[in-house]
């Protein structure tokens, strides 16, 4: 019986031959096993790969010390925030990165196209947000560095495929992976209690938004209803289409909204503010946080600020703890 291997298998095999480190080789072997169709024609090949995998794992076991800590992909945060595109295979993660940034990652109609993170900057009004495209979740294996990348993101977008009937299974895969990666999604209807935070030591809490992509495909509407019926109370759901420029604009706005950040502007006395250069802060920040974000010395010397915003009269004098709102303009006095 012929093995009938898909093209991405051969591509992975090529990377396997070129891989230098044991960790890379292990990761690629796992990927090859996941990609390989499982039938009689591939039985022998599967067994060979498993044997190789187990030999490599034993070799690595014998090695001790820091060389076993492996983080080849630390992605430095750039711009206002770091947003992760993650999810099951072929849902359109790379297509979204391509539609939202200037980066053109490989996009293909079959699963396991992406095998390393790809980073792009998404312009949104006067700021830039960093997007990270990741390889797909697989139930059979994990890229060893994937958990770390996702755990460091400011916002996680779980990209789902509305073109397929298994929409609820896709969500299950996402939730299972998050659990494996020790990431607790912040549930919309639940305030997290102190106990819960204590209990879940080792876990990180992250906002997870479902991005239901490919809403142009027939049958998508019904799947959106199913998805919302089951999950909209717990997770924000954005319905979109990587092929629609209009929906991509809307998606940018939603991403900004869910990041929970605000932009404030600064001015020096007698001059207009620079509206192109915002200070980006978490929602709930106060005058002192803005000062700190600009320069740490500011914090020591800051006496008061004047503010131009929605809730105050123009140029009102405010204290260090005064809360800030999106669009506020500040003038610091030291
Ligand atoms: N109809 C339709 N097709 C889409 C849309 N977004 C992506 N696709 C197609 O879906 C397929 C997979 O897209 P990718 O962007 O490679 O998906 P991915 O999630 O990055 O895939 P992996 O890297 O393998 O996990 C490609 O054929 C895309 O052209 C969409 O909104 N509508
Ligand atoms: Mg991809």
């Amino acid at each position: 019986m012929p093995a009938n291997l898909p093209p991405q298998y051969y591509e992975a095999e090529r990377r396997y031959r070129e891989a230098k480190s044991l960790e890379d080789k292990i990761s690629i072997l796992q990927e090859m096993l996941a990609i390989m169709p499982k039938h009689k024609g591939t039985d022998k090949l599967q067994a060979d790969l498993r044997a190789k995998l187990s030999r490599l794992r034993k070799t690595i076991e014998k090695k001790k010390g820091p060389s076993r800590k492996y983080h080849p992909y630390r992605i430095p945060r750039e711009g206002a925030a770091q947003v992760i595109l993650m999810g099951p295979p072929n849902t359109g993660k790379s297509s979204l990165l391509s539609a939202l940034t200037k980066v053109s990652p490989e996009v293909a109609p079959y699963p396991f196209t992406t095998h390393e993170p790809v980073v792009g900057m998404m312009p949104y009004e006067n700021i830039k947000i960093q997007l990270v495209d990741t390889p797909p979740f697989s139930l059979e294996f994990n890229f060893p560095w994937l958990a770390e990348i996702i755990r460091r993101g400011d916002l996680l977008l779980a990209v789902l495929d509305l073109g397929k009937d298994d929409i609820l299974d896709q969500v299950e895969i996402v939730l299972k992976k998050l659990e494996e990666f020790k990431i607790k999604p912040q549930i919309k209807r639940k305030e997290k209690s102190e106990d819960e935070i204590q209990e879940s030591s080792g876990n990180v809490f992250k906002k997870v938004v479902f991005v239901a992509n490919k809403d142009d495909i027939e049958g998508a509407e019904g799947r959106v209803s199913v998805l919302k019926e089951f999950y909209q109370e717990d997770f924000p759901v954005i319905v979109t289409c990587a092929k629609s420029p209009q929906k991509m604009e809307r998606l940018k706005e939603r991403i900004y909204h869910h990041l929970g950040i605000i932009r404030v502007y600064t001015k020096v006395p007698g001059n207009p503010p620079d509206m192109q250069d915002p200070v980006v802060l978490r929602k709930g920040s106060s005058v002192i946080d803005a000062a700190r974000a600009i320069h740490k010395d500011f914090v020591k010397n800051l006496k008061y600020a004047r503010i131009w915003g929605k809730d105050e009269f123009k140029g009102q004098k405010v204290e260090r703890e005064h809360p800030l709102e999106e669009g506020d303009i500040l003038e610091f006095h030291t």
Side-chain angles (χ1 to χ4, degrees):
M1 208 170 158
N4 271 337
L5 297 168
Q8 66 270 41
Y9 176 85
Y10 293 103
E11 200 276 327
E13 194 176 55
R14 181 189 58 73
R15 280 187 284 123
Y16 175 78
R17 282 195 304 270
E18 287 170 6
K20 301 244 161 25
S21 73
L22 286 176
E23 289 87 351
D24 277 345
K25 282 193 184 287
I26 287 177
S27 164
I28 299 167
L29 275 178
Q30 288 174 320
E31 204 183 328
M32 286 159 72
L33 271 169
I35 293 167
M36 189 184 304
K38 311 288 181 295
H39 56 65
K40 273 226 156 324
T42 60
D43 275 357
K44 168 139 190 347
L45 193 52
Q46 283 187 59
D48 285 353
L49 292 190
R50 290 217 167 82
K52 256 189 209 160
L53 199 51
S54 124
R55 273 203 304 278
L56 289 181
R57 283 201 178 114
K58 280 201 187 110
T59 320
I60 230 168
E61 287 290 297
K62 283 188 204 142
K63 278 193 174 180
K64 290 252 159 68
S67 64
R68 286 178 64 192
K69 279 218 166 227
Y70 185 61
H71 294 299
Y73 300 100
R74 272 239 159 113
I75 300 176
R77 177 180 278 92
E78 275 176 41
Q82 189 180 68
V83 176
I84 312 289
L85 293 157
M86 60 176 199
N90 210 47
T91 55
K93 300 175 291 298
S94 303
S95 302
L96 289 170
L97 182 76
S98 171
L100 296 169
T101 71
K102 290 207 178 85
V103 179
S104 323
E106 196 183 344
V107 168
Y110 44 74
F112 290 97
T113 308
T114 306
H115 36 75
E116 51 188 28
V118 185
V119 181
M121 296 306 288
M122 175 179 89
Y124 174 71
E125 297 179 349
N126 52 7
I127 54 170
K128 287 200 170 72
I129 294 168
Q130 186 182 40
L131 296 188
V132 183
D133 177 25
T134 59
F137 291 153
S138 150
L139 286 177
E140 284 139 317
F141 80 104
N142 289 323
F143 291 86
W145 34 263
L146 185 56
E148 194 59 25
I149 287 179
I150 297 179
R151 283 167 62 93
R152 285 164 183 269
D154 297 313
L155 174 69
L156 310 183
L157 303 181
V159 182
L160 308 170
D161 184 347
L162 288 174
K164 282 167 70 195
D165 269 331
D166 65 351
I167 191 81
L168 295 179
D169 296 337
Q170 296 177 43
V171 176
E172 285 302 313
I173 294 178
V174 169
L175 298 179
K176 186 166 177 291
K177 285 290 144 182
L178 290 178
E179 200 181 330
E180 257 178 62
F181 295 168
K182 289 189 166 283
I183 298 168
K184 291 243 181 229
Q186 288 166 2
I187 302 294
K188 258 164 70 175
R189 61 190 150 98
K190 226 167 85 180
E191 284 293 316
K192 54 180 192 259
S193 64
E194 284 298 318
D195 283 357
E196 213 182 347
I197 298 171
Q198 290 290 327
E199 239 177 30
S200 58
S201 63
N203 286 300
V204 290
F205 283 89
K206 292 283 158 174
K207 183 155 187 187
V208 179
V209 174
F210 289 176
V211 176
N213 187 36
K214 309 196 193 182
D215 82 338
D216 55 317
I217 295 184
E218 212 186 307
E221 213 174 318
R223 295 172 194 132
V224 170
S225 309
V226 174
L227 179 67
K228 287 192 169 170
E229 162 120 19
F230 278 80
Y231 288 105
Q232 106 175 322
E233 278 191 23
D234 290 346
F235 295 91
V237 177
I238 303 173
V239 177
T240 196
C241 171
K243 299 188 172 176
S244 153
Q246 260 173 343
K247 287 183 180 161
M248 288 299 96
E249 282 311 305
R250 177 86 186 126
L251 178 59
K252 281 186 196 178
E253 284 166 21
R254 298 320 292 156
I255 291 174
Y256 178 75
H257 167 83
H258 286 298
L259 275 169
I261 53 182
I262 56 168
R263 287 166 289 176
V264 302
Y265 303 84
T266 55
K267 70 188 279 306
V268 286
N271 285 329
D274 181 357
M275 299 306 279
Q276 289 316 309
D277 189 19
V279 180
V280 177
L281 301 167
R282 281 167 184 272
K283 256 185 198 154
S285 294
S286 56
V287 169
I288 192 79
D289 299 314
R292 193 176 295 118
I294 295 166
H295 201 284
K296 62 178 190 316
D297 287 349
F298 247 45
V299 181
K300 275 191 297 207
N301 305 330
L302 182 69
K303 292 207 182 71
Y304 67 94
R306 290 192 185 279
I307 193 164
W308 285 257
K310 286 187 230 47
D311 301 335
E312 303 84 5
F313 62 81
K314 286 190 174 55
Q316 184 178 326
K317 211 168 149 175
V318 288
E319 298 296 318
R320 299 158 68 109
E321 301 310 326
H322 188 80
L324 296 173
E325 298 274 347
E326 172 85 1
D328 282 351
I329 297 165
L330 285 170
E331 189 181 89
F332 291 113
H333 290 263
T334 50

